[in-house]
Amino acid sequence: MKDRILIIGSSGQIGTSLVMNLRKIYGNNNVIASDIRPSSNEVMDSGPFEELDILNEQLLRKIVKKHRITQVYLLAALLSATAEKDIEFGWKLNIRSHSHVLDLAKDGLIKKIFWPSSIAVFGPTTPKENTPQYTIMEPNTVYGISKQAGERWNEYYFNKFGVDIRSLRYPGLVGWRAKAGGGTTDYAVNIFHQAIKNKQYESFLSENTRLPMMYMPDAIRATIELMEAPFERVKIRSSYNLAGISFTPEEIAAEVSKHIPNFEMSYNPDFRQKIADSWPSSVDDSHAKKDWGWKLEYDLEKLTSDMIKNLKKQYKITV
Ligand code: NAD
Ligand code: AKB
C-alpha cells in the first residue's frame, strides 16, 4: 500500500515547506495538510487540506481513518517565546498533541510518526560547546520541558509498544516560505524581511549570542531522510542531535550587508535573551551522521544569498 501522510500544523514555518517537498515525493493527493488556520496558496491549491485542532482527538481519528493515513508528521506546538507567555496552554498543547498522535500508532491506526524536538531540551547546566547527544539536560523553559518530556515519551512508546517514532532536535530554522512562529531564534528570519524592506533591523538578541541554526532546505531534507531510513538504522528513538551552522546576530548581519550595503543592525535584547543564553552554542550530531548518513549542505554564506534571492522575488523587488 502506498503511504498516505498527514501533516498536523502544516501552515507554519516548517509545514509550508515540508508539505510541498513531501507532495513531490509521494504525490499531491497522498499528502494531507492540516491546521487550525489556512496555509499558503501553494499548499492550499496543490492538494488536500483539513481544518484540524489537534486537541480534538475524535476529529483527529476521523481524519486519519477517512484518508487511510499511514504516517503522521506532528508540527503543531507553541514555540519557546510564545509558550513562556502562556505556560499552561503551551504545556497543554505541546503534551496533549503528542500523546494523541502516539496513541494513534499504539492503537495500530498509523505506522510511523515524525515529531520534532529542539535544542531547547538543553539548559544552563548543559555543556555549551559541541553539546553531545547524551549529556546533562535541565531545560528551564516550558517549551524545553515539554520537548524533554516528549523525548522520554518517544522512547517509552518505542520500547513498550513498538511505535516507529522518529525525531530530530532541530536547531533554530531559517526559511522564506512563511513567517517565523514565536521562537527565540526568529531574529534570524526577521532580519531578512526587515533588511529587504527597510534596510535596518533591531535584534532582540545581543550581538554575540551564538546559537546553532539551519537553513530550511537542510532541515526538510534531514527530516525526510530520517523518515525514509531503514527501521534498524534509526538507533536513537528519543531524538537525534542536529548541528547546522552556529552564528551570532553580528555575523549574520555582516553577511546580509554584503547583499544590502546600507543595512544597519541595532541590538535591544529582551526576555528572549535569557532563553537563548540557556541553549548550546554548537551541537555534536555525529550520531545522525553515523546512523543514517546525515550531511549538511548550506553554510551561512549560501543560506544568506538564497534567502535574499527568494525573499526579493516574494516582495517583487528586482534590484
Ligand atoms: P510554527 O509556529 O510556524 O507552526 C506551527 C503551526 O501549528 C501553526 O501553523 C499553527 O497554526 C499550528 N497550530 C497551533 N495550534 C494548533 C492546534 N491546536 N491544532 C493544529 N494546528 C495548530 O512552528 P514551526 O516553526 O513550523 O515548528 C514546527 C515544530 O517544529 C514545532 O514542534 C517546533 O517546536 C519544532 N521546532 C521548530 C524550530 C524552528 O526553528 N522553527 C526549531 C526546533 C523545533
Ligand atoms: C525556538 O526558538 O523556540 C525554536 C527552537 C529552536 O526550538 N526556533
Side-chain angles (χ1 to χ4, degrees):
M1 189 178 70
K2 207 163 179 175
D3 273 308
R4 291 180 57 81
I5 298 174
L6 176 65
I7 319 276
I8 302 166
S10 62
S11 308
Q13 221 204 329
I14 300 175
T16 45
S17 289
L18 185 63
V19 169
M20 297 315 296
N21 279 267
L22 287 172
R23 282 186 177 158
K24 267 190 214 133
I25 301 170
Y26 289 89
N28 287 358
N29 288 328
N30 292 320
V31 179
I32 289 82
S34 75
D35 203 296
I36 47 173
R37 59 180 172 123
S39 193
S40 62
N41 292 342
E42 212 182 6
V43 168
M44 300 302 280
D45 295 345
S46 59
F49 177 87
E50 292 278 1
E51 193 176 317
L52 168 66
D53 179 345
I54 184 57
L55 294 175
N56 185 343
E57 192 174 12
Q58 260 189 332
L59 181 59
L60 167 68
R61 288 186 173 232
K62 202 168 142 193
I63 289 171
V64 163
K65 286 177 190 160
K66 173 181 158 192
H67 291 281
R68 291 169 284 107
I69 297 299
T70 59
Q71 296 185 16
V72 170
Y73 288 68
L74 173 57
L75 304 176
L78 284 200
L79 273 71
S80 56
T82 318
E84 283 310 296
K85 291 184 181 155
D86 189 349
I87 58 172
E88 276 174 29
F89 185 68
W91 181 255
K92 178 176 164 183
L93 176 63
N94 293 5
I95 293 297
R96 286 207 197 152
S97 57
H98 192 205
S99 64
H100 288 171
V101 172
L102 284 170
D103 284 340
L104 286 175
K106 173 169 133 319
D107 296 344
L109 273 83
I110 57 170
K111 290 192 306 195
K112 216 189 261 184
I113 300 170
F114 178 79
W115 172 88
S117 186
S118 158
I119 50 165
V121 285
F122 301 116
T125 52
T126 302
K128 253 189 158 356
E129 305 283 338
N130 212 22
T131 302
Q133 176 72 37
Y134 301 105
T135 185
I136 302 166
M137 293 164 86
E138 295 184 316
N140 61 5
T141 60
V142 66
Y143 175 69
I145 299 168
S146 74
K147 290 295 185 190
Q148 194 189 31
E151 289 194 7
R152 294 295 86 222
W153 279 118
N154 283 351
E155 204 172 272
Y156 187 87
Y157 267 65
F158 175 73
N159 287 329
K160 186 139 179 146
F161 306 115
V163 168
D164 188 356
I165 175 112
R166 301 171 183 217
S167 177
L168 296 168
R169 289 173 182 155
Y170 288 136
L173 303 181
V174 180
W176 53 269
R177 277 198 155 88
K179 295 261 158 70
T184 302
T185 58
D186 289 7
Y187 89 87
V189 179
N190 301 344
I191 185 177
F192 287 102
H193 291 270
Q194 293 307 318
I196 288 170
K197 286 192 296 185
N198 304 321
K199 291 185 184 286
Q200 57 185 15
Y201 179 60
E202 184 179 272
S203 168
F204 56 77
L205 296 184
S206 67
E207 61 263 52
N208 295 322
T209 310
R210 184 173 302 281
L211 288 170
M213 307 289 296
M214 183 177 277
Y215 196 34
M216 194 61 79
D218 270 335
I220 299 295
R221 190 168 50 79
T223 306
I224 296 174
E225 282 177 13
L226 175 64
M227 283 297 271
E228 293 192 338
F231 181 88
E232 61 285 357
R233 290 189 65 179
V234 184
K235 297 197 167 53
I236 294 173
R237 294 297 180 152
S238 51
S239 194
Y240 276 95
N241 272 8
L242 197 65
I245 23 168
S246 289
F247 56 78
T248 65
E250 196 172 39
E251 286 165 358
I252 193 172
E255 206 53 50
V256 168
S257 299
K258 291 183 190 164
H259 300 262
I260 302 171
N262 301 326
F263 173 65
E264 276 177 29
M265 180 90 149
S266 56
Y267 301 92
N268 187 12
D270 66 13
F271 73 100
R272 289 167 279 195
Q273 183 66 46
K274 200 167 158 226
I275 301 177
D277 288 343
S278 76
W279 291 351
S281 49
S282 60
V283 165
D284 170 16
D285 62 1
S286 49
H287 285 270
K289 288 177 178 144
K290 181 165 60 78
D291 290 356
W292 44 274
W294 166 241
K295 203 160 174 261
L296 187 79
E297 196 184 312
Y298 284 86
D299 60 13
L300 180 57
E301 205 182 322
K302 272 175 83 179
L303 175 159
T304 306
S305 58
D306 205 61
M307 273 296 281
I308 291 180
K309 186 183 81 194
N310 281 297
L311 281 180
K312 277 189 172 171
K313 254 193 244 158
Q314 209 173 56
Y315 285 117
K316 299 192 170 37
I317 295 171
T318 46
V319 282

